[in-house]
Amino acid sequence: MSSIDDAPGPEMPQPARAAGSRDVRHVSGAALAERYFTGRPDGLRPSTGEGLLPAGT
């Protein structure tokens, strides 16, 4: 998935890093849709605009 780590800017992961998380990355809504909704026979698509910010310590 090429859309992982395509955060809209360096400010998005900053609060998680400031809180002590070392492994922080942004996963865009487009990447999530591509991974989990592509090829669905019912055509269901997620809402747009959301992303995830997985972070680990």
Side-chain angles (χ1 to χ4, degrees), residues 21-51:
S21 296
R22 293 183 183 155
D23 180 21
V24 180
R25 61 192 173 114
H26 174 254
V27 182
S28 71
L32 294 169
E34 180 182 333
R35 182 170 187 169
Y36 296 108
F37 290 86
T38 297
R40 285 185 58 113
D42 60 5
L44 181 68
R45 301 294 294 171
S47 61
T48 59
E50 293 85 16

